[in-house]
Amino acid sequence: MNLTRLTAVLAGLLAALLLAPSARAQALDRAGLIANLCGNASAMGEAASVLTGLAMSGDAADRAFAVPLARAVIDRKLACDDAGAVLTENGLDAVTRQPRAAAGEPLTPVLSLKNRATYEQVDAALALRAAPEASQRAAALKTLERRPALIPEGLLEAAAAAEPDAGLKGEIETLAQTAALTAADPAARIRALARIADNPSRRALTQVSALTADPAYAASPEFRAAVDDATVRIGRGIAVGDVLATAYNGLSFASILFMAAIGLAIIFGLMGVINLAQGELIMIGAYVTWLVQQGLRVVAPSLLDWYLVLAIPVAFFVTAAIGIALEASLLRHLYKRPLMSLLATWAVSLFLMNLVRVVFGTQNLQFETPFYVTGGVPVIGDFIFTWNRMFAILFAVVTLALTWGLVRRTPFGLNIRAVTQNRDMAACIGIPTRRVDMMAFGLGSGLAGLAGLALSPIYSVNPQMGQNFIIDAFMVVVLGGVGTIAGTVVAALGIGQINVLIEPLWGAVAAKVIVLLMIIAFLQWRPEGLFAVKGRRK
């Protein structure tokens, strides 16, 4: 065992001795680099190659050392003397970075036309890798975009991997694709095509399709095969992304429709009241969410990112209280006069909309975007899994689960179902139908307030926002079957997906008209909707 351990130690020492000269050879010769910068055109070209290597894969400390050098040469702010050179902009020695003055009569290197273009690229490359501010790195990227064919292979990939700013990272990756496709080396172009095909998008398809007019496409069978293969793969990825995007957008729109309709389904199914003020209750929920945000901004700024979560009980109870007050003071006296209740809720709708307009104005409210609903994850093609839509979907799922549990698993829910199926019989067995009406109206109004909260991160919040949802909500309720949660869910999913499929083809207005005609045709065949409540009051 001791002999084995001694052998391993000796082998490690031998490897270290053999690798030490290589490591020393790879270390940056800073004095030699400065000497080349102060030399002739050939030496300055060699210095530019060293600086380019530092920008691509050099040590972070060496890269930081090199950052001011290219710019100093371009601006003629490098004074070369017998001791080396001085950066005249800040009076520091170019090698040691200690303050000193230039000795004797220093000389300033002059770039040739060829070297000037090279040094501008080098300066931009170093800034892209080492500049502290995103704006400086963005400016460097703009400089590199002017000559994509001169960008060294691997530079942009390394910069994109280290870039913390998501937007700038996307721009770097886009330029990397363009630069790779215009490279002089055919093998590099083929490798670039393979990388681009791994990240399909319509921009990538445009870039690759343009290569069919390239002379290499006709001259090189390998290049032609790579272009054709990349075109097929990118087209397939775009098609898959479009399908996923349609499904995701349809699910998102369906969740919004469900949130807007679930409260109305409870109210309409239980009491037969067509509540035209439901859209305004959605709007009030959004405004209450904004008030919670503004309150947290003053009272607890550290919790501002969580205003959407903290506003959930506030939005629910405020809108529920408004609904209870509306039912107790107005609608209770109009149950046997459906036309009067319709007109009354319409009047309440106008009153609430104009009250908000007077108090808050007509402009759109500005909401903070919390970190958990910001941005998204690119999946495939042009499909981006956005967090704000996922928030709406998850919020709708949680609301559905809680509403279903309340209606199916609690005594209050049992009373709602009993009154919905047969009001007179429920009253005969002692269920307080008037109290159930009031509490159910409050529940439906509170759910409308939650819909407004869910809409606030993804929709324009203004006094008119409720008008855009009331018709869609009624379509969902009528199609699904009055008073059924399952019908509301299925109808919202169906209408949402059909809207998303039709809208890109014929526009939003035509999509709504087509969906409405489809619902009318369906109700001619099945007037009770998708799910009928047995024994429902006529």
Side-chain angles (χ1 to χ4, degrees), residues 15-29 62:
L17 290 172
L18 291 173
L19 292 175
S22 175
R24 285 194 298 268
Q26 293 176 359
L28 176 64
D29 180 6
D62 288 338

Side-chain angles (χ1 to χ4, degrees), residues 78-218:
L78 184 70
C80 301
D81 58 11
D82 294 337
V86 174
L87 299 170
T88 59
E89 185 173 7
N90 50 24
L92 299 179
D93 186 273
V95 177
T96 65
R97 300 299 161 86
Q98 298 298 319
R100 79 173 180 89
E105 296 182 0
L107 300 176
T108 300
V110 178
L111 290 170
S112 64
L113 291 177
K114 178 181 177 181
N115 279 343
R116 173 170 288 276
T118 302
Y119 271 77
E120 287 177 351
Q121 290 287 103
V122 169
D123 177 60
L126 289 169
L128 182 64
R129 295 301 314 277
E133 300 294 333
S135 59
Q136 295 173 317
R137 298 193 297 274
L141 186 65
K142 294 297 182 185
T143 301
L144 292 173
E145 284 178 350
R146 298 172 191 166
R147 302 182 183 90
L150 299 180
I151 299 174
E153 184 179 359
L155 170 66
L156 295 174
E157 287 78 4
E163 178 56 53
D165 186 274
L168 185 55
K169 181 176 182 178
E171 294 180 17
I172 295 173
E173 290 173 343
T174 300
L175 180 59
Q177 293 180 356
T178 303
L181 291 178
T182 58
D185 183 8
R189 300 179 77 183
I190 292 174
R191 290 195 300 270
L193 285 167
R195 290 197 303 269
I196 292 173
D198 290 336
N199 298 282
S201 66
R202 283 180 170 80
R203 180 192 293 270
L205 183 61
T206 301
Q207 291 177 328
V208 173
S209 299
L211 294 178
T212 56
D214 192 286
Y217 184 81

Side-chain angles (χ1 to χ4, degrees), residues 80-389:
C80 301
D81 58 11
D82 294 337
V86 174
L87 299 170
T88 59
E89 185 173 7
N90 50 24
L92 299 179
D93 186 273
V95 177
T96 65
R97 300 299 161 86
Q98 298 298 319
R100 79 173 180 89
E105 296 182 0
L107 300 176
T108 300
V110 178
L111 290 170
S112 64
L113 291 177
K114 178 181 177 181
N115 279 343
R116 173 170 288 276
T118 302
Y119 271 77
E120 287 177 351
Q121 290 287 103
V122 169
D123 177 60
L126 289 169
L128 182 64
R129 295 301 314 277
E133 300 294 333
S135 59
Q136 295 173 317
R137 298 193 297 274
L141 186 65
K142 294 297 182 185
T143 301
L144 292 173
E145 284 178 350
R146 298 172 191 166
R147 302 182 183 90
L150 299 180
I151 299 174
E153 184 179 359
L155 170 66
L156 295 174
E157 287 78 4
E163 178 56 53
D165 186 274
L168 185 55
K169 181 176 182 178
E171 294 180 17
I172 295 173
E173 290 173 343
T174 300
L175 180 59
Q177 293 180 356
T178 303
L181 291 178
T182 58
D185 183 8
R189 300 179 77 183
I190 292 174
R191 290 195 300 270
L193 285 167
R195 290 197 303 269
I196 292 173
D198 290 336
N199 298 282
S201 66
R202 283 180 170 80
R203 180 192 293 270
L205 183 61
T206 301
Q207 291 177 328
V208 173
S209 299
L211 294 178
T212 56
D214 192 286
Y217 184 81
S220 171
E222 294 83 4
F223 183 74
R224 181 169 59 254
V227 171
D228 293 341
D229 179 65
T231 302
V232 171
R233 290 174 59 192
I234 293 172
R236 188 185 306 123
I238 290 174
V240 173
D242 288 346
V243 171
L244 293 177
T246 300
Y248 186 60
N249 292 337
L251 187 60
S252 172
F253 186 52
S255 69
I256 293 171
L257 290 179
F258 169 78
M259 291 295 299
I262 183 62
L264 190 62
I266 293 173
I267 294 171
F268 191 30
L270 180 67
M271 293 172 283
V273 174
I274 301 175
N275 182 20
L276 293 181
Q278 191 78 0
E280 277 56 50
L281 293 172
I282 294 174
M283 176 263 295
I284 288 176
Y287 272 80
V288 170
T289 304
W290 181 80
L291 290 175
V292 171
Q293 171 195 266
Q294 298 304 102
L296 289 174
R297 194 189 303 277
V298 176
V299 177
S302 61
L303 298 177
L304 187 59
D305 262 349
W306 301 101
Y307 76 90
L308 286 173
V309 177
L310 297 176
I312 290 175
V314 183
F316 178 82
F317 286 114
V318 168
T319 50
I322 293 174
I324 290 173
L326 175 62
E327 194 278 337
S329 62
L330 183 62
L331 293 177
R332 176 171 297 184
H333 311 290
L334 302 174
Y335 282 148
K336 296 183 179 180
R337 291 181 285 177
L339 180 60
M340 293 300 294
S341 66
L342 178 69
L343 293 175
T345 56
W346 181 49
V348 171
S349 166
L350 295 176
F351 171 77
L352 292 176
M353 184 168 57
N354 285 284
L355 178 64
V356 170
R357 185 178 292 149
V358 169
V359 175
F360 296 97
T362 59
Q363 71 280 1
N364 292 337
L365 296 184
Q366 299 299 317
F367 285 85
E368 294 291 330
T369 305
F371 66 90
Y372 48 87
V373 294
T374 301
V377 178
V379 180
I380 186 172
D382 294 320
F383 172 47
I384 299 177
F385 188 89
T386 54
W387 297 119
N388 57 354
R389 291 184 179 274

Side-chain angles (χ1 to χ4, degrees), residues 2-3 97 102 115 173 221 228 246 267 279 328 416 490 501 503 520:
N2 292 335
L3 181 60
R97 300 299 161 86
N115 279 343
E173 290 173 343
D228 293 341
T246 300
I267 294 171
I416 289 178
V490 174
L501 286 171
E503 191 170 314
I520 292 173

